[in-house]
Amino acid sequence: MADYKITSYGDAAICITFSEVFTEKDWMKAHTLAAKLREENYDWMLSIIPTYTSVIIHYSIMVMDKESVIEIIKDTINQPDSELAIRQRDTHFLPVVYGGEFGPDLPVIAKRLKLTEEEIIQMHLRSTSQLLSFASPAGQPLMGKSDIPDTIPRMETPYVKIPKGTIAIVGSQTTIYTKETPGGWRLIGRTPLQVTYPEKIPPSPFKIGDFIRFFKIDEKEWDFYKNKNVEDMPDLLEEKNE
């Protein structure tokens, strides 16, 4: 029996689901499938959208019928190397000002977990967060579990405006708001770096599978990193340490 499910997703799309709950194995299957289909660059494919454990594929009904698309996908999944590692995982270092106006929910989280704000920050800093998926708007990266206990709920009343660069958590997962937008995640800090490039394709400096390490800075250091690119961080850190 197949360990995945294929369902229609509208008139010209299908969804391949490997699991209803997140596991690293099923995440790897979903993103390996997406990567292999992109490599093939089939003329019937209009877009590929991988999520945590599923892949949505939009196709041209003028080029290929659904049954043929499904057969190609099944053949791709069943290839012997169907669980290839995500290629070239990079590690990115992001400066963050925690708490205060940059992370107004930090006191609430600390109180909920019966810890100090500094203990919450250190938990977050200890974590190497792996980028599992992107969300809208503007390629918002969604990262896996941190060392923070998995008990942080969403806001009952979402924020109307969250500044770009804001670092936020729900459960024990982390995201970075890449543009000013409403949102219901808990805000713990903000990075001064430019974390999305709307004029570029792809617009994100990150790739699926990359690791993100956060480090704490003071508010007075904000201007040193302000609007610098993620790719500039090795040079910036070297300059900072001179």
Side-chain angles (χ1 to χ4, degrees):
M1 184 176 178
D3 58 351
Y4 57 88
K5 179 173 65 175
I6 299 179
T7 54
S8 294
Y9 203 78
D11 294 333
I14 56 174
C15 181
I16 306 93
T17 303
F18 292 96
S19 175
E20 297 295 337
V21 296
F22 176 81
T23 68
E24 186 170 350
K25 181 178 180 180
D26 291 311
W27 171 79
M28 182 68 75
K29 287 180 179 180
H31 286 273
T32 297
L33 173 61
K36 295 175 84 172
L37 290 173
R38 287 194 184 103
E39 285 181 357
E40 294 295 338
N41 195 27
Y42 293 111
D43 60 357
W44 48 264
M45 283 193 310
L46 300 180
S47 68
I48 303 173
I49 306 172
T51 65
Y52 283 155
T53 59
S54 62
V55 183
I56 298 171
I57 299 171
H58 294 86
Y59 61 92
S60 171
I61 59 176
M62 304 300 291
V63 179
M64 184 76 73
D65 61 83
K66 181 174 72 173
E67 288 73 22
S68 299
V69 170
I70 289 174
E71 286 306 310
I72 291 172
I73 290 169
K74 287 181 177 178
D75 289 343
T76 304
I77 293 173
N78 293 329
Q79 288 174 8
D81 57 350
S82 61
E83 291 188 34
L84 291 174
I86 301 296
R87 295 171 176 81
Q88 193 180 350
R89 303 184 188 193
D90 296 322
T91 299
H92 307 276
F93 294 88
L94 271 63
V96 179
V97 179
Y98 285 94
E101 65 177 293
F102 300 94
D105 293 316
L106 191 59
V108 177
I109 294 170
K111 183 177 180 180
R112 179 182 180 87
L113 297 179
K114 297 181 173 59
L115 297 169
T116 67
E117 293 182 31
E118 186 59 30
E119 285 174 322
I120 299 297
I121 292 169
Q122 291 305 316
M123 283 182 177
H124 197 248
L125 294 175
R126 282 199 303 268
S127 309
T128 299
S129 300
Q130 186 171 30
L131 201 162
L132 301 179
S133 188
F134 289 105
S136 61
Q140 185 170 315
L142 301 174
M143 286 157 267
K145 289 187 174 182
S146 69
D147 288 352
I148 297 173
D150 189 11
T151 58
I152 309 303
R154 287 177 174 268
M155 300 285 294
E156 292 184 8
T157 303
Y159 288 101
V160 176
K161 286 184 181 181
I162 295 176
K164 71 174 183 177
T166 294
I167 313 300
I169 60 173
V170 159
S172 67
Q173 290 186 292
T174 301
T175 192
I176 307 171
Y177 283 88
T178 52
K179 65 179 294 186
E180 186 179 276
T181 181
W185 288 48
R186 301 282 180 169
L187 317 184
I188 63 171
R190 197 183 311 161
T191 180
L193 295 184
Q194 185 71 27
V195 289
T196 188
Y197 314 132
E199 73 284 357
K200 293 184 179 181
I201 298 177
S204 177
F206 313 118
K207 305 184 305 297
I208 296 295
D210 281 358
F211 295 99
I212 297 176
R213 292 297 304 268
F214 300 100
F215 65 95
K216 183 181 177 182
I217 63 171
D218 295 328
E219 188 174 345
K220 63 184 179 182
E221 299 176 87
W222 180 272
D223 287 343
F224 178 78
Y225 296 102
K226 185 177 179 180
N227 291 330
K228 300 292 177 49
N229 295 334
V230 172
E231 296 89 338
D232 295 334
M233 279 306 301
D235 292 337
L236 290 172
L237 289 174
E238 185 175 344
E239 178 183 345
K240 190 77 172 172
N241 292 327
E242 286 179 352

